[in-house]
Amino acid sequence: MSIDISTPGVDAVAGRSRSLMADPGSAGRFGQFGGRYVPESLVPACEQLEAGFREAWADPAFRSGLARTLSLYAGRPTPVTPTLRLSAELGVTLLLKREDLAHTGSHKINNVLGQALLAKRMGKVRLLAETGAGQHGVASATAAALLGLECVVFMGQRDIERQELNVFRMQLLGATVVPVHSGSRTLKDACNEALRNWVSQVDETHYCAGSVMGPHPYPWMVREFQRVVGEEAREQCAALLPQGQPDVVVACIGGGSNAAGTFAGFVDTNARLVGVEAAGGAAISSGAPGVLHGYRSRVLQDENGQILEAHSISAGLDYPGIGPEHAHLADIGRAEYPSVTDEEVVAAVLRLARTEGIVSALESAHALAWVLREAGTPQLPTDSTVLVTLSGRGDKDAAQLVELL
Amino acid sequence: MSAHERYGRLETHLRDRRDAGRSLLVPYVTAGVTADWTDYLHAYADAGADAVEVGLPFSDPMLDGPTIQEASHRALSLGATTIDALTRLARARAGIPLAVMTYANIVFRHGATVFCDQLADAGVSGLIVPDVPCDEVDELSTVAADAGIELVLLAAPSTAPSRLRTIAERSRGFVYGVTVMGTTGERAELADSARAVATALRRHSTRPVLLGFGISTPGQAAQASGCADGVVVASSLMREVLSGRGPAEVGASVAALRAGLDAGSAT
Ligand SMILES: Cc1ncc(COP(=O)(O)O)c(C=O)c1O
């Protein structure tokens, strides 16, 4: 049985946004950023993946299979929820794209199901992933279980300690969690270790990147797999809002995948696009052009080119780089990348929980914190309409919050 | 290769020695790993090295195994910087050509032109950047050539034949054949893939072909010299350096590798 799910909306939106957030070509460039800065050993694997993705993405059967899996298994579409009490308090109309309601509790599942189906189609038997907050690891372990693939997840020792619940979830799902003790023992180092490991098992293993980072085609492919967030939100906003579109679209930025997926749905509208970084990991505002983990982007680094450790209350944003397409969108002025502090984030979690009954992930609360700070200022004038992608739910952060509050 | 191509200092030196029947030996040291790290250069040269590969430490060395990672980490925690390393190299006068190995972010931090000029000023001949594969190399190879720096390219067991040809042609100094699909680090045996990479590269070019990654013992070096023009040896030497062995002791290991190569190429 084949069901064609490629709705007109999908192609129409892709067509409209051809110039911005489009196919970055065989070199994988977004302006001066992107590319494929990997050891020669990995080049053939990246080329093979690019060819495999191009073929799959052009194949209606692959797309419909993914769409079916997203709806029947992952719970898509997720709703857009208008906030009532919080909007009234802030004086702006605030809507939330509810990725916290997707299976496994975050947007990460969209990308992972896409990559896992692709890996399977390409004959790979193992998924190799890195994780910070553990959400991408949990999503990878989930997809691997669903599709009968093996799963190995690299995770920094510090994150393992911060995210015990997610480590247990991954193990429960049958994945092997490998602690990484090098460097800052966070996401950056887990990425290094995953890439090193991939070099030695590239034939049978798919490296399942957790965000819009890594060598070409990852930043592009992951954005395409997350595009569903923005496209759904756009249609949902059109149905909910009298003027059809929000004035401002906001998402938090770790590597930048939920923001990229969200922005892809709105890049050809007049909406302002805002990606919110953690103050201690603000690669756009505090970083400089550089090369890390296989791509050229803005990177937190010192005068000598050594990568700096990022610091954030949320493990998912503790990353010194940012997806290359975001660096480009910032360069050309199409998107803005402010940052918020840990204190603002904790306050945002509490405020949303108590006004709307939604406990968001610390990562997602960065986007919200910016809205709370700017509502009523020229940045976000009274009566404007703002969409925030709530990238995940806060259960994983409960233990950390207990200590903070 | 064009008949008019002029070889740089590194390649001329390696070709001359190879053509005289010698198997080439290029040992490695991480800049800044100890206070007296440049003494290892002299020890290597005295022990019969043909050139030295000097690693400029990077915080996130994507292609390195535990030993080189630790060496980089130690150097950085001792305050190693590119500028300091190059200043010390300029003063060291090892007497044999030097090739710097480092990662893209170090090279591009203040622009490839600045970096290559600094290398040239320090008397360095070659540059190896393992995370800049041949598709991304255009800007860097032009800049390096302008500065008189020979940009060495790497080939891997997974590299397709058509790319091997491009790599062999575009590489300068020598061609670096990576023996295994993996990171740097000692290995029990020389992989079969080593022979295949070396043989294919030699078919495409007369440029010296050196094998590296996992070559740790004189026996493996001898074996490698059966199919390539020489070897690069890093992790086994750096393990010694990290365990506190001084230039004379590590130099003795280089001499043993030299003897292994000489015996291997004699057979
Ligand atoms: C809930 C949640 N939101 C956001 C992020 C940040 O990632 P990205 O910027 O790629 O969406 C993470 C990463 O772990 C996460 O778990």
Side-chain angles (χ1 to χ4, degrees), chain B residues 64-245:
Chain B
D64 283 306
T67 307
I68 308 285
Q69 277 179 52
E70 192 190 331
S72 299
H73 181 75
R74 191 178 292 185
L76 290 174
S77 49
L78 290 172
T81 62
T82 300
I83 282 300
D84 178 57
L86 294 180
T87 310
R88 308 256 248 125
L89 279 183
R91 275 196 241 123
R93 304 191 181 285
I96 49 177
L98 304 176
V100 151
M101 192 289 284
T102 194
Y103 286 84
N105 201 54
I106 301 290
V107 175
F108 294 122
R109 181 66 180 99
H110 299 289
T113 308
V114 171
F115 184 80
C116 289
D117 286 345
Q118 287 173 337
L119 291 185
D121 289 347
V124 171
S125 307
L127 172 62
I128 306 165
V129 194
D131 57 346
V132 181
C134 65
D135 325 80
E136 299 284 1
V137 91
D138 285 351
E139 179 207 347
L140 181 56
S141 59
T142 309
V143 165
D146 287 349
I149 298 293
E150 295 155 86
L151 185 66
V152 176
L153 301 184
L154 297 90
S158 58
T159 306
S162 61
R163 278 179 74 87
L164 281 176
R165 171 185 296 280
T166 309
I167 290 167
E169 282 171 0
R170 297 196 63 177
S171 191
R172 294 290 179 269
F174 61 92
V175 198
Y176 197 135
V178 174
T179 62
V180 289
M181 291 297 287
T183 54
T184 58
E186 294 171 73
R187 286 185 174 78
E189 282 166 32
L190 188 68
D192 290 338
S193 46
R195 178 174 301 277
V197 171
T199 310
L201 286 172
R202 276 172 136 189
R203 209 179 297 130
H204 291 306
S205 159
T206 63
R207 210 177 301 287
V209 172
L210 268 57
L211 287 175
F213 283 49
I215 296 170
S216 330
T217 65
Q220 288 168 343
Q223 221 185 324
S225 71
C227 54
D229 299 310
V231 296
V232 178
V233 180
S235 292
S236 65
L237 299 175
M238 290 314 294
R239 179 171 48 77
E240 294 189 44
V241 172
L242 288 170
S243 72
R245 303 190 76 196

Side-chain angles (χ1 to χ4, degrees), chain A residues 107-108 133 135 211 252-258 316-317 361 363 391-392:
Chain A
H107 68 297
K108 299 278 178 189
Q135 289 304 92
S211 192
C252 69
I253 302 263
S257 70
N258 90 88
L317 306 191
E363 289 82 4
S391 56

Side-chain angles (χ1 to χ4, degrees), chain A residues 26 87 94 215 235 252 262 311 339 361 365 394 403:
Chain A
S26 62
S87 289
L94 168 65
E235 285 188 14
C252 69
T262 305
H311 292 288
S339 59
E403 279 178 26

